[in-house]
Amino acid sequence: MNKRNKQRLMPWLLLIVVCVAVLFSINCGYLKIPYAEVLASLVNPYSPESSVVLLQIRLPRIVLAVLCGMGLALSGCTLQAVTENPLADPGILGINAGAGFSVMLFLSLFPSLHVRTMIYQPLFAMVGGLFVAVMLYGFSKRHGKVRPDYMLLGGICLSAGFFALMLIMGADMDNSSYQLVARWLAGNIWGSSWHQVKALIPYLLILIPMLFGMMNVLDLLLLGEEASLALGVRVERERRILLIIAVALAASCISVSGGIGFVGLVAPHMARRFVGARHRYLLPTSMLMGGLFLLLADTIGRSLFQSIEIPVGIMISVLAAPYFLYLLRKQT
């Protein structure tokens, strides 16, 4: 099989693998549901015989894991191209922490809005994430050029600072609120419902087509700033637009899933090994790889020990941290 056919075939193969992983995840847990009952519940969800466990507990969680994995992977892939840094990731650059801090402020100051509707929560997360992105952009720009090493170091510092602020805020909360915040910080999609899925989908439907429409710009940015300018690309303008899209994608996913890191780092690197660096193939492959990665991590976390459930953010860190060290080793 030649390279071009492999690039075209890989997203379809991954889509099939994601569907198989969804079927596998549906039947993982304390209660086993026969697949005949699964099919009957999906075909006629309003029948009295439909599975409440499947439709109201497991399926929303599975859908949310896939959607958040897709959004975080696309965000990481975009950030790596914009910053010219293969180690860029929404979590490492502090965007997740900034979005999380903004969500904590929202939960503390406007609890009634959170109860009535979740549409405001992603908006607050985007404000926090964009604030961090603006700070990083200004900090890492030297003599008119963005320095990738400065952006990485600044992101690590900002991430630590915002996590410290979140812990300080959490210490002043009552016990029930603090438990909620602690689970959110760990990256936990336990207890997800269709409410969170409906809150996330509108943002993805807007942001993902915008990003796919700029695939050629991402390819040109990989050539370097001077070559891109020579080809007529307004580099700074396109960078800002792509940075806003990447931050909005990460923040909207983080607002409903909690502090999940490393997906935006690992998924694009794994995708590049299969389809190369051209974003026409890299973006859809990274998107599906991220959805599959997060779904499998969540399934393992809730099935590994039946008595306890490991938050998906912790499982992702356990699985992806060694790979991050490997990438860091290659860069030095």
Side-chain angles (χ1 to χ4, degrees), residues 28-51:
C28 283
Y30 181 78
L31 178 65
K32 302 297 182 182
I33 305 174
Y35 282 108
E37 186 178 341
V38 170
L39 182 61
S41 298
L42 293 177
V43 171
N44 190 5
Y46 299 105
S47 67
E49 294 81 14
S50 62
S51 172

Side-chain angles (χ1 to χ4, degrees), residues 236-247:
E236 288 302 312
R237 176 179 175 272
E238 301 297 343
R239 269 182 178 163
R240 293 191 189 104
I241 294 173
L242 286 166
L243 188 60
I244 291 171
I245 294 174
V247 170

Side-chain angles (χ1 to χ4, degrees), residues 249-264:
L249 274 171
S252 57
C253 293
I254 290 301
S255 68
V256 296
S257 67
I260 298 174
F262 290 114
V263 176

Side-chain angles (χ1 to χ4, degrees), residues 27-313:
N27 222 8
C28 283
Y30 181 78
L31 178 65
K32 302 297 182 182
I33 305 174
Y35 282 108
E37 186 178 341
V38 170
L39 182 61
S41 298
L42 293 177
V43 171
N44 190 5
Y46 299 105
S47 67
E49 294 81 14
S50 62
S51 172
V52 176
V53 173
L54 170 66
L55 296 177
Q56 301 302 325
I57 298 176
R58 289 188 184 172
L59 202 55
R61 177 175 183 162
I62 290 169
V63 172
L64 194 67
V66 173
L67 292 178
C68 288
M70 288 179 173
L72 291 171
L74 288 175
S75 177
C77 187
T78 306
L79 288 172
Q80 288 166 18
V82 170
T83 64
E84 301 176 19
N85 190 336
L87 299 178
D89 168 80
I92 296 170
L93 294 180
I95 293 169
N96 288 3
F101 178 71
S102 187
V103 168
M104 277 194 69
L105 285 177
F106 168 71
L107 294 175
S108 301
L109 300 177
F110 307 104
S112 60
L113 289 179
H114 173 68
V115 172
R116 288 202 302 267
T117 176
M118 283 196 64
I119 194 170
Y120 300 105
Q121 191 164 310
L123 293 175
F124 270 76
M126 287 180 193
V127 171
L130 287 171
F131 176 72
V132 171
V134 170
M135 291 182 67
L136 278 180
Y137 194 82
F139 174 75
S140 60
K141 199 167 183 181
R142 295 291 188 276
H143 307 294
K145 294 185 67 175
V146 174
R147 294 280 300 274
D149 51 345
Y150 278 43
M151 181 165 281
L152 184 65
L153 293 172
I156 293 172
C157 294
L158 285 173
S159 180
F162 276 110
F163 269 117
L165 289 174
M166 282 189 279
L167 290 174
I168 292 170
M169 285 186 63
D172 195 37
M173 292 181 174
D174 59 83
N175 188 54
S176 60
S177 298
Y178 182 75
Q179 291 296 326
L180 175 66
V181 169
R183 287 197 300 268
W184 191 90
L185 289 175
N188 197 348
I189 55 177
W190 175 83
S192 301
S193 67
W194 293 113
H195 196 49
Q196 283 96 330
V197 175
K198 292 176 182 177
L200 176 61
I201 283 179
Y203 296 97
L204 297 184
L205 289 178
I206 294 171
L207 295 168
I208 291 178
M210 289 176 62
L211 181 60
F212 273 66
M214 301 184 71
M215 290 186 294
N216 293 333
V217 176
L218 286 168
D219 286 335
L220 292 174
L221 289 178
L222 293 180
L223 301 175
E225 187 169 341
E226 293 182 0
S228 300
L229 288 171
L231 291 170
V233 178
R234 290 184 285 183
V235 175
E236 288 302 312
R237 176 179 175 272
E238 301 297 343
R239 269 182 178 163
R240 293 191 189 104
I241 294 173
L242 286 166
L243 188 60
I244 291 171
I245 294 174
V247 170
L249 274 171
S252 57
C253 293
I254 290 301
S255 68
V256 296
S257 67
I260 298 174
F262 290 114
V263 176
L265 174 71
V266 174
H269 278 279
M270 295 177 69
R272 283 190 192 93
R273 292 179 176 269
F274 292 106
V275 298
R278 191 175 178 186
H279 286 86
R280 178 181 178 182
Y281 307 106
L282 181 60
L283 285 179
T285 306
S286 298
M287 180 178 71
L288 292 168
M289 193 76 74
L292 177 64
F293 187 34
L294 189 56
L295 175 61
L296 291 178
D298 180 58
T299 304
I300 294 171
R302 65 182 169 88
S303 306
L304 191 60
F305 303 104
Q306 292 292 339
S307 57
I308 61 171
E309 180 175 315
I310 304 173
V312 65

